[in-house]
Each structure stands twice: as structure tokens, then as C-alpha cells.
Amino acid sequence: MTEEAGFRACQQCGTPTPASSAVCTHCGAGSPEATAAEAATEYRFFRAVFTRSNQFTMILVGMNLGVFLLEWLAGGMGAMSADHAVLIAFGAKQNALIAEQHQYWRLITCVFLHIGFIHLLMNNYALWIVGRDIEQIYGSARFLILYVVTGVMASISSFYFSPNAVSAGASGAIFGLFGVMATFAFKYRKEIPAALSKDIRRRLLPIIAINLMFGFSARGIVDNAAHVGGLIAGVALALVIPFKHPEERETPLIWRALQVVCIVAVMASFVAVFRSYSGPRLTFSNLASSPGSRVVDYYNRMTSADSSLRTSMNTFAAVLNGADERRDLEPARGVLEKGNPSPESLGRVVAAKVLVDKGITEAGRAPVIDGRPELFRQRLIDLLNAQKVAIERYQGGEDPRRQTVIEAQRVQQSYEQFRREFDVWLAGYLEENGYEMKKREADD
């Protein structure tokens, strides 16, 4: 009777509801026909979208792993740390190199670098989870565009808002994908299955919020400027770039062209890395080393070379000032004639030269670390060689004192200037790499 009167019994609550209505007017449950039609529509959507390939997600994960292996071969790698010099050499974001040396490719290459095993695993896991969905929803061409552009925008955000940070990692681009996914769920909530939109919002929004809060609470460790920049870029791009509808068979030419541009930009950036590479030599022995070992080696050898130079200068200055004659000879004999240094003086000169040679060897064995570390290493080598020339002039000249004193004074003045600049820089450099500078000896 109910159906004959134009009503049907709701299967959910049992209350009579108009048969012409697709949903129950009391509880909102759909009619069997509407439910079946909706299920069929959802099935067609999921089948069309989530059976698409996701080869570019796998390619990006593979690139991250490949670049990380090269980093590891170049220097020690830890659970949550990496050699600072290796990161710079492979293209980490470093403001001075970008602004002063115009190495803009670092805005791209830094997206593919990682700082330690945990950093790599976390980012690759997140990329694998969200990347596959985004690539299937938007298609491979638009997915790659979204990933590269949000990664670059994250780097630019870090450049302006975290100028002192040496940044690396895919997390900025991953936050960009989070922004794309969240925007997709809101923008197309009336076009896509309701269950999909609701599930994305339920799972994704808490993840974004938790990660942002963690980033703000871990300033100095996490580059939250890159995360926020990538997230905003992802939202903005998702508002203008349409997803690949189930009925779309061919990707429009514009997206394929932009995909090629992104591929060329990434390839060109890594070509620039390898053309300008001046970092550590890649060896299998580095696989067993610890991060920062090159920094420690650099510090120890530079300190040893500096100590040798300082002792050599003090010893040689004592000879030039005649301190050994005044102290060691009997007063009745007086000071020796010019050009006739005492055996004691000659012995000290030889000792000073031995110290200089030792310093040159130590500085020469210090790791070559691109940038200011290498500039200071070369300056110290130049000072050591200048000291050696002064000593050799003394040993071979007819009038060893006059010109040699001038040369020795020049070396001393240059050394004092070097030490002032080197000490200030070294303290900051060691702190960047997680070390605290040892206090100099009182007589330095």
C-alpha cells in the first residue's frame, strides 16, 4: 500500500518516504536505486583514475636514492647528519652561492639531496604514499610539474625567510603535494566521490597541521620556511591546474610541453653540479666513515700547520734579533760579526725550516673543501712558503739579516691578519657543522 500511494519504506530507518525522492526525507539514506547508481559511478571513477601508472613517482624516489648514494660515496653519512661540504658540493641551497655566484640551479638540486638516512627514508616514504595518488589523479605530466615547481618555490621561500640555512631535502615539494591534495578534495568535492573527498580531508589535514607545528617548534633544525612555501605553492597550483578527469584520454599539449621543460631544468641543474663539483673525491672507503670527519680532519691539520708556522716564526725571530748570541755566548766574546751566525743560530734556523716543511705538508693534506675553507687553506700555505723563503734567504745570503728581517716582519704581519680572520670564521664554521671550537692556548 505504501508503494502504491507513492511512498516507499526506507531501508535504513523503516520510515515511509516519497518514492520519487532519491534519499530518505527523515534520515537521508539513499534509495536502493540511487545507492546502486552512486556505487557504480564511484567504481567507474576509481577504476579510471587509480589504475593509471605512477612511473614518475618511482623515478623521483629512484633519483633521491641515487643522489644519496653519490653523497654517501663523497663523504660520511649518519642517521640524521651529513658532511656539510658534501651537501654544498652537490647543490644544497646556500644563499651566498646563489646570490653572489648566481648558482640558481641550487634551487632545484637541493630538492633531491638528503641529510642522513632517516631524512631520506621519511621523505621517500611520504613521496611514495602521496605521490602515487597525485600522479594518478593529475596524470604524470601535471604531477611532475607540480612536484618540481612546488619544490623550487619551497627553495625560494627558504632563500628569503631562512637566509642562513643550508637546506636540502624533498620535504618542501612533498608539502606542496599535500597542498595539492587538500585543495583537490575541496575544489572538486561535488565532482568526485564523496567518500574520497572526505577521506582525503580526514587524513591529510591533521598530517599537515602536525608537521607544521613540529617545524615551528624545531626551528634551527627544520626549515619550516621551505615547508610553508611549498604548501602555499601547492594550494595555488591546484587552484589553476585541473586534475585529469576519468574521461580524459590524451594529456593536452601544454602540460606535456611544461613536463619537458621541468625535465630539462632538472637535468641541466645536475649538469651544472657536476661541472662545478669541487667536493670530496667519491670513494667506497667513505661508506664506512662518519659525517663531519672531513671537517675534523680539516681542523686538525690546519691547527697543526698553524702551530708549526707560529713556532717557526718565533724561533727564527729569536735568531734574527740576536737573542741566542746575547744569551748563549760569554760576555767577553761579544756579539758575532755579521754574516757569521753561531752554530746555535744555525741549528735554530734549521729547526725553523723543518717546522715550516712540516706545516706545508699538514696544510697540503687538509681536505679541499670548497669556499672559504679552501681560501684559508691556501692563505696558510702561502704564509708557510713565505716563511720558508725568508729562512732560505738567511741561510744563503751574504748579509742575511737586513732583507731577511724585513721579509720576516711581513710574514708576521700577514700571519696576524690571517689569524684574526681565520679564528672568527672558524668558530662559525665549526658551529654550523655541530662542533665547538677549542680555546686557543694562552700564548697564541
Side-chain angles (χ1 to χ4, degrees), residues 283-306:
T283 62
F284 286 103
S285 61
N286 285 330
L287 297 178
S289 63
S290 59
S293 58
R294 296 178 70 253
V295 175
V296 174
D297 191 23
Y298 176 88
Y299 172 81
N300 289 336
R301 292 194 181 277
M302 288 289 285
T303 301
S304 176
D306 174 86

Side-chain angles (χ1 to χ4, degrees), residues 122-425:
M122 290 179 63
N123 279 350
N124 269 4
Y125 176 74
L127 174 58
W128 177 250
I129 296 301
V130 71
R132 288 182 303 168
D133 290 344
I134 293 289
E135 185 171 4
Q136 290 172 329
I137 291 171
Y138 279 84
S140 295
R142 277 166 275 200
F143 164 72
L144 186 64
I145 296 167
L146 291 167
Y147 186 84
V148 173
V149 175
T150 55
V152 171
M153 294 306 297
S155 301
I156 293 174
S157 177
S158 174
F159 179 88
Y160 284 105
F161 299 105
S162 294
N164 298 322
V166 175
S167 301
S171 54
I174 291 170
F175 264 84
L177 297 183
F178 286 162
V180 169
M181 185 69 91
T183 305
F184 164 79
F186 281 101
K187 180 181 178 181
Y188 297 104
R189 61 188 181 278
K190 295 182 180 180
E191 300 179 38
I192 63 176
L196 175 61
S197 176
K198 182 178 179 181
D199 183 64
I200 292 173
R201 285 177 286 172
R202 178 181 60 81
R203 290 188 297 112
L204 201 60
L205 294 182
I207 293 175
I208 295 174
I210 291 171
N211 278 276
L212 287 178
M213 287 190 293
F214 174 75
F216 282 116
S217 64
R219 292 181 179 178
I221 300 175
V222 176
D223 189 353
N224 219 38
H227 293 176
V228 175
L231 181 66
I232 294 174
V235 171
L237 288 174
L239 290 174
V240 297
I241 296 179
F243 84 102
K244 188 175 182 179
H245 288 76
E247 63 274 10
E248 185 179 315
R249 294 289 179 261
E250 293 292 331
T251 301
L253 180 60
I254 180 64
W255 304 124
R256 286 188 279 132
L258 290 175
Q259 179 189 30
V260 172
V261 170
C262 289
I263 293 173
V264 171
V266 172
M267 293 178 62
S269 297
F270 277 103
V271 169
V273 169
F274 291 114
R275 289 184 62 182
S276 63
Y277 184 79
S278 59
R281 186 168 59 92
L282 277 63
T283 62
F284 286 103
S285 61
N286 285 330
L287 297 178
S289 63
S290 59
S293 58
R294 296 178 70 253
V295 175
V296 174
D297 191 23
Y298 176 88
Y299 172 81
N300 289 336
R301 292 194 181 277
M302 288 289 285
T303 301
S304 176
D306 174 86
S307 177
S308 295
L309 175 58
R310 187 174 65 256
T311 305
S312 174
M313 289 190 301
N314 291 339
T315 301
F316 191 46
V319 174
L320 294 178
N321 294 333
D324 59 322
E325 286 92 347
R326 289 193 298 272
R327 184 180 68 251
D328 298 329
L329 299 180
E330 295 177 2
R333 294 177 58 188
V335 178
L336 295 180
E337 295 294 331
K338 291 182 179 180
N340 297 296
S342 69
E344 177 81 15
S345 296
L346 292 176
R348 292 192 176 192
V349 171
V350 171
K353 187 177 179 182
V354 169
L355 285 167
V356 166
D357 288 334
K358 177 186 175 183
I360 292 173
T361 300
E362 285 293 292
R365 290 177 178 174
V368 176
I369 301 177
D370 190 33
R372 297 195 72 187
E374 176 60 12
L375 293 177
F376 280 116
R377 189 180 76 95
Q378 290 296 332
R379 283 178 65 181
L380 184 56
I381 291 175
D382 291 342
L383 286 169
L384 286 158
N385 284 321
Q387 173 73 358
K388 185 174 182 178
V389 169
I391 292 173
E392 290 175 345
R393 184 190 299 277
Y394 180 90
Q395 290 176 319
E398 294 181 1
D399 184 1
R401 290 185 184 276
R402 183 173 300 171
Q403 185 61 34
T404 305
V405 167
I406 295 174
E407 293 295 332
Q409 288 175 345
R410 288 176 179 171
V411 174
Q412 180 68 38
Q413 291 171 356
S414 297
Y415 173 75
E416 290 173 356
Q417 177 66 26
F418 165 81
R419 275 292 297 272
R420 285 194 294 270
E421 296 176 11
F422 182 66
D423 285 353
V424 171
W425 167 81

